[in-house]
Amino acid sequence: GAGVSQSPSNKVTEKGKDVELRCDPISGHTALYWYRQSLGQGLEFLIYFQGNSAPDKSGLPSDRFSAERTGGSVSTLTIQRTQQEDSAVYLCASSLGFSADTQYFGPGTRLTVL
Amino acid sequence: DAKTTQPNSMESNEEEPVHLPCNHSTISGTDYIHWYRQLPSQGPEYVIHGLTSNVNNRMASLAIAEDRKSSTLILHRATLRDAAVYYCILRDPNAGNNRKLIWGLGTSLAVNP
């Protein structure tokens, strides 16, 4: 079946511009995660959505970062006034739900801020 | 803190077994041990997870020490496609209902033909 998809696969932007990254989770998965991975580093947790519960935003690095999940499915991560240190691969993952730990990852969006 | 310790890198020859170690001395009694891997330029993929008993699936085996303070991921016959970064991961004990996993730097496995 279809896995997690993300778009765009690559995004190059200028410092100060806003960007939106999209994630389509696996159908029926109620949990959705956003991570950031800088070059040669492990994954850094950003935000977590579970069903209709309030999202866990504890990993967002600044108020320039925000995310939405509409209708319990598609999610958008928005970075306002991008900075060069925002350059990274942004990964989205989904899982079946509350008691299921296995996360299924998308291919990521490589963001480059010039 | 649910941290794990893994060697930075390991090397193996094709068609030989590979044993990837992980230390997790602060693991709690109810924490599962998760292994994921990340192939070059791809998102991570699930490999295996376990609690106390050794586990097997089509990808690998997971051997868990009796005291649960360490585990070993076993690839029975390495192939070139197994070259990846392997992450041994625990859930964040402070994350409440958030199934947040704590990711380290993993072990970069090179497979020689």
Side-chain angles (χ1 to χ4, degrees), chain A residues 33 35 37 40-45 48 56 58-59 91 95 97-108 110, chain B residues 32 34 36 38 41-47 49 85 87 91 94-106:
Chain A
Y33 300 79
Y35 295 90
Q37 187 173 32
Q41 301 297 308
L43 275 66
E44 175 189 5
F45 166 78
Y48 162 71
D56 177 350
S58 60
L91 290 157
S95 69
F98 202 74
S99 61
D101 282 324
T102 301
Q103 297 180 19
Y104 298 85
F105 283 82
R110 180 175 298 279
Chain B
Y32 279 81
H34 304 260
Y36 284 73
Q38 188 172 21
S41 301
Q42 294 190 25
E45 65 175 346
Y46 167 81
V47 177
H49 74 285
V85 178
Y87 296 96
R91 189 172 69 86
N94 301 315
N97 292 327
N98 179 353
R99 313 304 286 183
K100 187 167 64 175
L101 303 176
I102 297 181
W103 297 74
L105 296 179

Side-chain angles (χ1 to χ4, degrees), chain B:
Chain B
D1 191 3
K3 276 189 176 176
T4 61
T5 305
Q6 300 177 255
N8 290 334
S9 62
M10 290 184 66
E11 203 170 321
S12 174
N13 295 320
E14 202 174 6
E15 298 190 5
E16 290 184 356
V18 182
H19 291 234
L20 297 163
C22 180
N23 287 321
H24 29 79
S25 58
T26 59
I27 190 171
S28 75
T30 57
D31 270 346
Y32 279 81
I33 302 150
H34 304 260
W35 284 82
Y36 284 73
R37 72 178 186 181
Q38 188 172 21
L39 279 64
S41 301
Q42 294 190 25
E45 65 175 346
Y46 167 81
V47 177
I48 201 166
H49 74 285
L51 183 62
T52 55
S53 304
N54 294 346
V55 185
N56 301 294
N57 66 20
R58 65 175 178 80
M59 288 182 71
S61 296
L62 178 60
I64 302 171
E66 195 169 330
D67 64 5
R68 299 204 340 115
K69 294 185 185 298
S70 66
S71 61
T72 302
L73 180 72
I74 302 166
L75 306 179
H76 295 286
R77 289 184 66 200
T79 70
L80 296 179
R81 284 202 66 246
D82 290 324
V85 178
Y86 287 79
Y87 296 96
C88 167
I89 302 161
L90 303 180
R91 189 172 69 86
D92 183 349
N94 301 315
N97 292 327
N98 179 353
R99 313 304 286 183
K100 187 167 64 175
L101 303 176
I102 297 181
W103 297 74
L105 296 179
T107 296
S108 180
L109 175 66
V111 180
N112 302 315

